[in-house]
C-alpha cells in the first residue's frame, strides 16, 4: 500500500537544520544532557508521581530506574532478567510458586544505610498495602507472603505459579526502599526519590512540574550495571519542536520520547551533519479503551461496530507513516503469542458490516460518542490521530463523534474514575512478555481500572498462561484470550510503533540507551567512541 507523502512543516524543518558546531559540552558542568517531552507534575489528585507504589508510566519509571535498585534487571539487549541488587535469584520449586533471592554483600542506600532483606520485604509489602488505584500493585498481587532469612535472603511465596515473576521483580514497582525514608502505608508526596541505584538525583522544579533531573554517580552503588558517565541531566520540554531546537543549539546531546513523525521523517530522508538518528527495537502499542459501564458503549454491539469501521491502515498512513504499523491484537507482532484476532473477526473495514451489527442489536439511531485523548503525553501526532478516527467513524453514517483533548495530569485521573466512555491510551510494556499486554487490561486491579470482567480470562486463562516457563508453549492460551477480546471489545488495538533516538555524533552508547520497553538506560551513554 502506498503511503501518502507528508509535507514537512517549515518549523519542523528549521529545527533540524545543520548544527552550529562548537567545541563545548551541552552543559557547562560537562554533563550528558537528554531531552524528553514527558511531563512530571505533582497535583492534588496525583501528589506522589515518583513513588514506586504509585508511578506507572514510562516517564516516571525512567527516573526511578536510575535511582531505585531492583533485585533483578533486564540486561542490555534484552533477554531474561539477571541479578542486580541480588547476587542470585531463582525458583526453588518446580511449580514456580516459591522464588528465592540472595542480596549482594555490602549493599547500601546512597546515604550509606545498609540494604537488607527486611528492606526488600518492606518495599514489596508497602506496594500491596497502599494498593494505589494507578494499577501498580497488580504486578505484585500474586505474592502471598514474603519471608526473610538473615540479612540477605528473601523468599517470595506466590499464590499461583508465575513464570513471569522474575520480570515483575525487575520493574520499579519492586524497587528497594528504605524504611527510614518511606512510610509503610502512605505515598511519599513530591519529587524526592531515595534508593541504592546507580545514580543519586536532584530535581529542579518549575512550579508544580519538574524542569530538570540531575543524576550523579552514586559512589555507594553495587550491582550489575556499569556506568559510562558520572553525570546525566534529563530535561523536560513542552513539545518535540522545542526539544529539537535544543538539539540544534547543542544544549542537549540526545532526544527521545517523543520525537515527532516530521522530525523522524526529515532525519531519515535528509540526514543532518552532526546528528545521528538511531532506530531501536520498540514494543509500544496504541489502543482505544471503553468504559463498558458507560451507557453510550455498554452494549457490546456499539464497540463491535467501532471495531468494524476503524481503518488502521489509513490511520497509520495518514498520521504516522513508516514509524508505525497496524495492530490487530493486544499483543504486538514481534512478541510471542501474537495473533490477528481483530482482523479475523471483522476483516477489512466495512460500514455495512458495522450497520448489520448495530441492527441486529436493535440500534437504529446514530450513536453519539466523545473520543477522549491526552494532548501532551504521547507526542504531537495524537491530535491528528484522533481527528482521523473521528472522521472515519463519522463517514460511516453510523456515528456522531466529537473529540476532547486533555492534559495528562487531568486526563489520567478522570479516566480512572470512569468519566470517559471511550478514550485513547498507549502502552509501553513493563517487560517483553505477552502476559504484560493482557493482564494490565484484563486482570484484577488493572491499569485501566475497567469495569469489564471476563471470568474465563481472569480466573482461568491468565493463570494458565503463567504456568509455562517456555513462553512459546503459552501461545495457544494467549490466542484464546485475544479471541475473547476481539469479541467483547473492551479495548481496540490500533497500531504498534517504532522507536527512534536522535543524538549528537560524539555521544556513544546511544543504541543501548533505550530498550524495547522504552526504558532509558542513561548509564550506557558516554562521550567519544568508547
Amino acid at each position: 500500500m502506498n503511503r501518502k507523502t507528508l509535507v514537512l512543516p517549515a518549523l519542523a524543518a528549521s529545527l533540524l537544520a545543520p548544527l552550529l558546531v562548537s567545541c563545548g559540552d551541552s552543559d557547562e558542568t560537562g554533563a550528558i544532557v537528554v531531552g524528553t517531552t514527558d511531563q512530571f507534575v505533582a497535583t492534588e489528585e496525583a501528589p506522589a508521581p515518583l513513588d514506586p507504589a504509585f508511578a506507572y508510566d514510562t516517564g516516571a519509571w525512567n527516573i526511578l530506574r536510575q535511582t531505585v535498585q531492583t533485585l533483578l534487571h533486564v540486561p542490555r539487549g534484552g533477554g531474561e532478567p539477571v541479578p542486580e541488587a541480588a547476587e542470585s535469584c531463582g525458583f526453588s520449586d518446580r511449580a514456580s510458586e516459591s522464588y528465592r533471592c540472595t542480596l549482594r554483600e555490602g549493599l547500601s542506600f546512597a546515604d550509606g544505610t545498609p540494604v537488607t532483606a527486611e528492606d526488600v520485604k518492606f518495599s514489596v509489602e508497602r506496594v500491596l498495602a497502599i494498593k494505589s488505584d494507578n494499577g501498580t500493585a497488580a504486578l505484585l498481587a500474586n505474592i502471598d507472603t514474603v519471608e526473610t532469612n538473615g540479612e540477605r535472603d528473601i523468599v517470595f511465596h506466590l499464590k499461583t505459579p508465575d513464570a513471569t515473576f522474575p520480570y515483575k521483580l525487575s520493574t520499579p514497582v519492586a524497587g528497594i526502599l528504605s524504611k527510614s525514608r518511606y512510610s509503610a502505608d502512605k505515598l511519599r508526596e513530591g519529587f524526592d526519590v531515595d534508593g541504592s541505584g546507580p545514580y543519586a538525583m536532584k530535581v529542579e522544579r518549575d512550579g508544580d512540574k519538574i524542569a530538570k533531573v540531575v543524576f550523579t554517580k552514586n559512589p555507594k552503588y553495587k550491582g550489575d550495571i556499569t556506568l559510562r558517565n558520572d553525570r546525566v541531566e534529563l530535561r523536560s520540554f513542552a513539545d518535540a519542536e522545542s526539544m529539537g531546537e535544543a538539539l540544534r543549539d547543542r544544549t542537549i546531546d540526545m532526544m527521545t520520547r517523543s520525537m515527532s513523525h516530521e522530525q523522524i521523517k526529515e532525519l531519515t530522508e535528509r540526514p543532518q551533519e552532526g546528528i545521528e538518528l538511531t532506530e531501536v527495537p520498540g514494543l509500544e502499542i496504541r489502543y482505544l479503551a471503553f468504559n463498558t459501564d458507560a451507557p453510550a458503549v455498554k452494549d457490546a454491539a456499539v464497540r463491535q461496530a467501532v471495531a468494524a469501521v476503524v481503518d488502521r491502515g489509513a490511520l497509520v498512513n495518514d498520521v504516522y507513516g513508516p514509524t508505525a504499523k497496524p495492530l490487530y491484537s493486544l499483543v504486538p507482532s514481534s512478541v510471542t503469542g501474537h495473533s490477528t484476532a481483530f482482523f479475523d473477526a471483522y476483516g477489512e473495514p466495512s460500514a455495512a458490516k458495522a450497520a448489520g451489527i448495530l441492527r441486529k442489536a436493535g440500534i437504529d439511531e446514530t450513536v453519539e460518542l466523545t473520543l477522549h485523548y491526552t494532548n501532551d503525553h504521547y507526542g504531537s501526532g495524537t491530535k491528528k490521530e484522533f481527528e482521523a478516527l473521528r472522521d472515519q467513524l463519522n463517514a460511516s453514517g453510523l456515528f456522531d463523534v466529537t473529540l476532547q483533548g486533555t492534559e495528562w495530569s487531568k486526563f489520567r485521573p478522570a479516566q480512572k474514575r470512569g468519566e470517559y466512555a471511550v478514550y485513547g491510551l498507549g502502552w509501553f510494556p513493563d517487560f517483553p512478555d505477552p502476559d504484560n499486554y493482557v493482564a494490565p487490561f484484563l486482570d484484577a486491579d488493572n491499569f485501566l481500572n475497567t469495569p469489564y470482567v471476563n471470568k474465563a480470562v481472569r480466573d482461568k486463562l491468565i493463570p494458565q498462561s503463567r504456568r509455562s516457563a517456555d513462553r512459546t508453549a503459552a501461545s495457544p492460551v494467549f490466542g484464546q484470550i485475544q479471541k475473547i477480546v476481539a469479541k467483547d471489545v473492551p479495548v481496540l488495538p490500533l497500531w504498534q510503533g517504532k522507536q527512534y533516538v536522535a543524538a549528537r555524533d560524539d555521544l556513544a552508547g546511544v543504541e543501548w540507551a533505550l530498550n524495547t520497553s522504552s526504558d532509558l538506560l542513561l548509564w550506557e551513554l558516554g562521550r567519544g567512541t568508547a
Side-chain angles (χ1 to χ4, degrees):
M1 182 181 295
N2 291 327
R3 293 187 170 92
K4 294 183 179 179
T5 301
L6 294 177
V7 179
L8 182 67
L11 175 61
S14 70
L15 302 184
L16 297 169
L19 294 176
L20 299 174
V21 178
S22 66
C23 298
D25 290 321
S26 308
D27 182 89
E28 62 182 11
T29 64
I32 292 171
V33 185
V34 176
T36 179
T37 58
D38 284 319
Q39 303 295 306
F40 310 100
V41 185
T43 66
E44 186 176 345
E45 292 185 284
L50 298 182
D51 189 315
F54 176 85
Y56 203 10
D57 65 85
T58 301
W61 277 19
N62 280 339
I63 291 178
L64 292 174
R65 286 190 185 277
Q66 322 306 319
T67 51
V68 177
Q69 200 171 17
T70 50
L71 289 169
L72 303 105
H73 76 126
V74 176
R76 171 201 273 192
E80 296 183 0
V82 297
E84 212 293 77
E87 176 182 276
S88 63
C89 283
F91 284 105
S92 55
D93 65 334
R94 292 185 178 181
S96 299
E97 289 183 309
S98 183
Y99 196 78
R100 181 183 299 272
C101 291
T102 300
L103 290 173
R104 295 177 188 269
E105 288 192 40
L107 282 181
S108 67
F109 293 104
D111 65 1
T113 306
V115 176
T116 70
E118 283 298 323
D119 291 307
V120 178
K121 176 181 170 71
F122 163 79
S123 303
V124 168
E125 291 181 342
R126 175 178 183 270
V127 172
L128 297 173
I130 292 174
K131 199 176 181 180
S132 157
D133 67 355
N134 219 23
T136 47
L139 281 173
L140 303 180
N142 195 32
I143 295 175
D144 187 18
T145 59
V146 184
E147 175 188 352
T148 61
N149 182 16
E151 295 291 299
R152 296 173 55 207
D153 290 336
I154 313 103
V155 182
F156 301 93
H157 299 287
L158 307 182
K159 298 172 185 175
T160 59
D162 187 1
T164 71
F165 187 67
Y167 282 104
K168 294 168 182 175
L169 286 184
S170 73
T171 65
V173 69
I176 305 170
L177 308 176
S178 170
K179 289 183 286 187
S180 65
R181 300 280 184 170
Y182 289 82
S183 167
D185 57 5
K186 188 171 70 172
L187 292 172
R188 183 180 185 179
E189 297 184 4
F191 298 121
D192 291 333
V193 179
D194 292 283
S196 56
Y199 295 101
M201 62 170 274
K202 181 180 179 182
V203 167
E204 293 186 15
R205 294 175 172 83
D206 179 10
D208 61 353
K209 297 182 179 181
I210 290 179
K212 178 170 69 174
V213 184
V214 180
F215 298 103
T216 53
K217 186 175 182 179
N218 174 13
K220 303 288 187 182
Y221 171 72
K222 289 186 178 182
D224 189 57
I225 293 168
T226 299
L227 278 73
R228 292 169 172 79
N229 59 69
D230 293 327
R231 180 184 173 103
V232 182
E233 294 184 4
L234 184 67
R235 294 186 186 175
S236 181
F237 290 87
D239 49 51
E241 287 71 28
S242 56
M243 182 169 62
E245 180 75 19
L247 185 64
R248 179 180 72 84
D249 290 344
R250 298 178 69 85
T251 55
I252 65 173
D253 298 288
M254 185 177 94
M255 62 178 183
T256 172
R257 282 177 40 93
S258 292
M259 294 176 62
S260 70
H261 165 56
E262 289 82 8
Q263 288 172 325
I264 296 167
K265 178 180 172 64
E266 174 72 0
L267 285 172
T268 300
E269 296 179 353
R270 290 182 288 277
Q272 302 295 316
E273 182 180 354
I275 294 179
E276 292 183 354
L277 180 70
T278 303
E279 180 182 347
V280 294
L283 296 173
E284 170 193 7
I285 69 169
R286 297 286 178 88
Y287 59 94
L288 286 179
F290 299 89
N291 175 358
T292 54
D293 276 353
V297 296
K298 189 169 186 176
D299 194 322
V302 174
R303 308 192 299 269
Q304 293 165 351
V306 173
V309 168
V310 168
D311 188 337
R312 296 169 177 80
L315 179 69
V316 167
N317 289 342
D318 292 347
V319 181
Y320 295 105
T323 64
K325 63 180 182 179
L327 179 64
Y328 295 94
S329 78
L330 278 174
V331 181
S333 61
S334 47
V335 174
T336 299
H338 167 76
S339 74
T340 55
F342 274 83
F343 187 85
D344 298 342
Y346 301 99
E348 295 291 345
S350 171
K353 182 178 293 183
I357 293 170
L358 292 173
R359 281 197 305 270
K360 187 176 180 180
I363 301 172
D364 299 318
E365 297 180 352
T366 302
V367 178
E368 295 184 0
L369 295 175
T370 299
L371 300 187
H372 293 267
Y373 66 96
T374 172
N375 53 22
D376 66 345
H377 194 65
Y378 297 118
S380 58
T382 307
K383 182 175 185 289
K384 186 176 179 181
E385 175 184 349
F386 275 77
E387 289 171 343
L389 286 169
R390 174 199 62 197
D391 294 347
Q392 287 183 9
L393 292 169
N394 286 346
S396 71
L398 304 171
F399 297 94
D400 180 8
V401 175
T402 57
L403 301 180
Q404 180 64 57
T406 307
E407 60 190 55
W408 179 252
S409 61
K410 297 177 180 177
F411 174 92
R412 176 67 169 139
Q415 176 267 310
K416 289 188 293 184
R417 289 194 299 266
E419 294 181 10
Y420 304 151
V422 192
Y423 53 91
L425 282 171
W427 182 253
F428 301 83
D430 307 327
F431 50 89
D433 187 275
D435 178 88
N436 198 239
Y437 290 94
V438 169
F441 310 117
L442 305 174
D443 209 354
D445 302 319
N446 58 70
F447 168 74
L448 296 178
N449 198 25
T450 177
Y452 171 80
V453 177
N454 184 291
K455 293 188 69 65
V457 170
R458 187 172 290 188
D459 299 340
K460 177 184 176 183
L461 296 176
I462 289 178
Q464 183 179 341
S465 73
R466 291 172 175 166
R467 294 190 183 101
S468 301
D470 177 1
R471 304 309 288 153
T472 304
S475 292
V477 179
F478 287 111
Q480 293 180 58
I481 294 172
Q482 290 169 85
K483 285 182 180 179
I484 292 171
V485 171
K487 176 179 176 291
D488 293 351
V489 200
V491 291
L492 177 63
L494 297 172
W495 55 267
Q496 65 182 88
K498 300 178 182 179
Q499 290 191 125
Y500 294 86
V501 176
R504 288 165 45 178
D505 58 9
D506 64 348
L507 193 65
V510 172
E511 67 274 23
W512 302 112
L514 195 68
N515 67 15
T516 57
S517 296
S518 296
D519 301 324
L520 275 175
L521 312 180
L522 295 179
W523 51 83
E524 296 286 357
L525 298 173
R527 296 289 186 191
T529 58

